[in-house]
Structure formats: C-alpha cells, structure tokens
Amino acid sequence: MAKVVVGLSGGVDSSVAAYLLKEQGHEVIGLFMKNWHDDTVTISDECPWLEDSNDAMLVADKLGIPFQTVDLSNPYKERIVDYMFDEYARGRTPNPDVLCNREIKFDVFMDIALELGADFVATGHYCQKTTSIENGQEVHHLIGGADANKDQSYFLCQVSQKQLAKTLFPIGHLQKPQVREIAAAQNLITAGKKDSQGLCFIGKVRLPDFLQQQLQPKVGDIVEIDAQTSREKMLELVPAAAAGSDEELVTLSRKRKYHPTEGKKVGQHQGAHYFTRGQRKGLAVGGTPEPLFVIETDVITNTIYVGQGKNHPGLYRRGLFVTAAETHWIREDLEIEIGATLEVMARIRYRQTLEKATLHRVENGLYVIFDDEQSAISPGQFVAWYQDNECLGSGVIA
C-alpha cells in the first residue's frame, strides 16, 4: 500500500477521496492549502478559507488521519493572481482554475507532498487515470470523469506525464450523488456542503472589485454593432483561399476588429479590461429588444463592442490559434508534426459539450478548426482536445 497525501479542501469530494484511500489500506495524510489572505474582495460567506480549513481538519479527525495546513499564498499570488492581472490588462480572459492545477496543486503542493515521503498525491477531481505501456514506455492517460455533468478533465488539461505519474483520482469513477451518499454514511461534516464557487481557493469574488486592486477604472464607450455590419466584417476576412490552406486557417481564426464609427454608442463602462467576449452582465445598458452581449473588446482604445442576442454573428467563428510556446501535449507521443493534421473532439470552456475539430500544426503553432462555429472564443482561455474521452493536450487561445 502507498503513502498518499490528499489535498483536503474542506469540500465533500476531497473528503470522500481521503476516505476511499484509507479504506483501500493506504497510509493517508490530509493537507490543506491556504492560498489567500485578503477577504476584502470575496463576497461574504462564500468559500471562506477559515471555515474550509476547519472542515478539512474535522474530516481528517473523523477519518483518523494526520492533518496539517500549508501556506502557499506567496506562490499563488506570483503564479496565479499576478498572471490574472497581467492577462486582463492585455485584454485577455485567463482561466485561473487551469493555472492553479498546473502551477500550485500539481507543482508546489506536489513537491511538498513528495518531501513528506508521499508516493502519490490525490485530489477530489472528477477525472480518471489509466496507465499503459507504449513502445516500452509507461504512458499515463487523463480520462474524463464517469459523471459527465462533473467531468473536470478540462481543468487538468495542462498537467504533464510526470505529474500524472504521481497522481490519484479516487472518486473519478463515481457519480456526484454517490459521493455525497458515501460522505453521509460516514457522517462526514462535508456531506451536505455546497460546492465552492468562484476563483480557485479565493472563493466567489466581484471580479471588477478584485481587478481594481491593480487595474484602475478607465471610462470608455460601449458601441453597439448591428448583425449586418458584423456579417460584412466576416465576409471581408474571407480571401479566395484554398480549403485547408494557411490563408484559410488564418481567416477562420482571426479576431474581428471593429471601429467606433461602425456602430452606435449606447453607454459607457469603467474599463475594457474588466470585460470578456460573450459577457452579458455588468453592461448596465437597457432598452434594447434583445439583451446585449460583448462581441469584442479593445483595450488599446478602451472600447467595448456589443451586439443584440446570443446569436449575434459577431460572437461566432470556427477557428482559433495557439502559439507554439503555449501548446501543451499531455500525450507527448501523439504530438503531430509541422504540416500534419489530427481529428479530435475539443472544448473551449468547462462543461462545454465536446465538439468535432481538426488540429493543423504549422511552424509557429497550432490551429484548431471546429466543424461548427463556436460562441465567444476568448483569448487567454484554454482549448483542450480529446480522443475517446482522453485529454491529449491543450493550449492558450491566442
């Protein structure tokens, strides 16, 4: 049996993960990560770390396993929070949960666990791992969780073979109701606890309040672009390019650029860097037949472009680009060569249904071209690609 350090978060999933490992006969240690000190930006009573830490300690006590807290707030600020500020300032929309797994849970935290003599680190993620031998080498496979509604493989799309080798996902084969039933049967305090919301380890925040710690408000215009203008913009981008050519790949993936003179001013905002494509809330503009959605932002001119309705053509395109530096293969053995293509299933956000797509490898990166148009492809977010429910790799949308 192995020595396993469980990341006890104070939630039901990690609690049951620890219980199952102990039942299997492993030597289990509970470790709580404290990653945030500033409660001023969190919405009250939403995922306060003190309550979570206390719940994690009570679970460890109930299970009879050693428990301790580690303060990772400094690396969390440097690797996650500072990165978020920088990305938003550039007009991109980062995904801190994906980064938190890559940089904190499966890096800094894993190093601490291994220093404690652990053979493995375990988490309460809804995903699964299998291992096979390919060409004489051990290969680890990141598989989606059995509960399709809770599958969290997207959040782990940046992990490496080295990290997977040392990781266990004890609840990945279970459905969420089963996890709660197990917790209730063991009288764990977390059995009925609501799932945490918001930023990884910070809790639910008012994003503008959070960002205003470093990104100052800056009044700018909200400009509405009508559907016809957006369609014309799209047609302007389509050259007489051969299917599958580099020109077509660029066209299908290119961000549309608007000018204030192409629409009408309908309001003002406090900073383009606070908004992202597809956003509906926070615009404070009414009186339109259909709700307004952000179709594009321009942090250079500090302008937000909006369109009416979730089917506005400005929200949709078929392709995206990932630079070579921000392309990551979990399955390094399946990485495609320059000029090659690979048919996959892909998603651009958590819980999105997997969509048919083709990867096109070029010299400076990777194009992901979907069979169908996708809504609100946002720079800074992650695209993850799969085959047979296995996450093969991912990248940051350029």
Side-chain angles (χ1 to χ4, degrees):
M1 292 291 102
K3 185 174 184 178
V4 185
V5 167
V6 180
L8 278 182
S9 67
V12 65
D13 299 328
S14 61
S15 302
V16 171
Y19 164 74
L20 291 175
L21 288 167
K22 187 160 188 284
E23 282 295 290
Q24 291 163 15
H26 297 296
E27 180 187 350
V28 181
I29 298 171
L31 215 55
F32 177 84
M33 288 175 271
K34 181 185 179 184
N35 288 358
W36 193 247
H37 292 283
D38 184 3
D39 294 331
T40 60
V41 295
T42 57
I43 297 171
S44 60
D45 298 328
E46 291 285 353
C47 193
W49 75 266
L50 203 58
E51 180 185 322
D52 288 341
S53 173
N54 190 52
D55 287 347
M57 181 176 66
L58 290 171
V59 166
D61 185 58
K62 179 77 174 174
L63 297 177
I65 61 174
F67 174 80
Q68 68 183 75
T69 296
V70 290
D71 190 338
L72 303 182
S73 51
N74 284 334
Y76 187 86
K77 181 186 180 302
E78 291 168 6
R79 298 196 193 188
I80 310 300
V81 177
D82 290 349
Y83 171 86
M84 282 180 63
F85 285 134
D86 182 59
E87 287 285 273
Y88 275 106
R90 294 169 59 196
R92 300 189 0 150
T93 307
N95 190 313
D97 293 307
V98 175
L99 263 294
C100 183
N101 283 319
R102 185 184 80 187
E103 300 289 333
I104 304 298
K105 288 181 190 171
F106 295 92
D107 188 67
V108 180
F109 179 81
M110 181 171 276
D111 286 346
I112 291 171
L114 296 178
E115 285 171 12
L116 290 172
D119 299 302
F120 296 98
V121 165
T123 69
H125 283 104
Y126 285 86
C127 52
Q128 303 173 85
K129 183 186 89 169
T130 61
T131 302
S132 66
I133 303 297
E134 310 283 341
N135 298 319
Q137 295 286 319
E138 200 172 59
V139 175
H140 305 287
H141 310 266
L142 177 64
I143 310 296
D147 188 335
N149 290 319
K150 296 294 292 181
D151 173 26
Q152 292 175 311
S153 58
Y154 175 80
F155 289 139
L156 297 172
C157 66
Q158 286 274 296
V159 298
S160 66
Q161 283 289 308
K162 184 179 176 183
Q163 291 167 327
L164 274 179
K166 293 289 185 181
T167 304
L168 299 175
F169 304 113
I171 66 167
H173 63 293
L174 298 173
Q175 303 291 311
K176 181 75 179 197
Q178 292 177 291
V179 171
R180 290 206 180 277
E181 285 170 11
I182 293 169
Q186 300 306 314
N187 291 316
L188 300 181
I189 193 170
T190 54
K193 189 174 180 179
K194 284 198 304 183
D195 292 343
S196 62
Q197 301 290 321
L199 300 180
C200 180
F201 290 113
I202 293 180
K204 201 166 184 178
V205 300
R206 294 182 180 90
L207 195 56
D209 292 356
F210 183 71
L211 295 176
Q212 281 174 22
Q213 292 178 103
Q214 288 195 20
L215 305 180
Q216 294 304 310
K218 184 181 176 184
V219 176
D221 292 337
I222 300 175
V223 176
E224 183 183 345
I225 302 292
D226 65 45
Q228 184 58 34
T229 301
S230 191
R231 285 193 196 94
E232 289 169 1
K233 274 279 179 187
M234 187 165 51
L235 292 173
E236 284 174 20
L237 292 174
V238 181
S245 67
D246 286 355
E247 291 84 0
E248 188 196 42
L249 297 177
V250 170
T251 296
L252 293 173
S253 307
R254 185 181 289 147
K255 174 180 175 178
R256 286 175 208 143
K257 292 186 177 179
Y258 299 98
H259 191 273
T261 57
E262 294 172 326
K264 64 177 180 180
K265 178 181 171 181
V266 293
Q268 289 189 309
H269 59 82
Q270 295 299 309
H273 44 263
Y274 300 146
F275 293 83
T276 185
R277 297 183 88 248
Q279 183 172 334
R280 176 180 168 186
K281 295 182 178 178
L283 291 168
V285 178
T288 54
E290 290 189 81
L292 291 174
F293 289 81
V294 176
I295 61 171
E296 206 56 79
T297 63
D298 188 336
V299 293
I300 305 300
T301 64
N302 195 33
T303 308
I304 292 175
Y305 295 97
V306 297
Q308 287 189 40
K310 62 182 180 180
N311 295 319
H312 190 283
L315 282 171
Y316 290 86
R317 69 175 194 258
R318 276 186 57 205
L320 59 89
F321 180 66
V322 178
T323 66
E326 293 189 309
T327 301
H328 171 72
W329 288 86
I330 298 173
R331 287 292 304 277
E332 295 160 339
D333 57 315
L334 297 181
E335 180 176 352
I336 56 176
E337 302 291 324
I338 293 171
T341 62
L342 183 67
E343 291 188 3
V344 296
M345 303 295 286
R347 56 167 57 106
I348 55 172
R349 58 181 65 90
Y350 173 52
R351 284 195 175 173
Q352 180 195 18
T353 305
L354 286 169
E355 302 274 349
K356 284 186 178 180
T358 304
L359 307 184
H360 298 257
R361 177 79 185 273
V362 295
E363 193 169 340
N364 61 340
L366 193 73
Y367 286 97
V368 183
I369 307 298
F370 289 89
D371 286 13
D372 299 315
E373 289 188 327
Q374 302 297 305
S375 176
I377 294 175
S378 301
Q381 290 281 291
F382 288 85
V383 56
W385 49 89
Y386 295 70
Q387 283 184 339
D388 300 322
N389 204 30
E390 177 184 359
C391 186
L392 306 183
S394 64
V396 183
I397 300 171

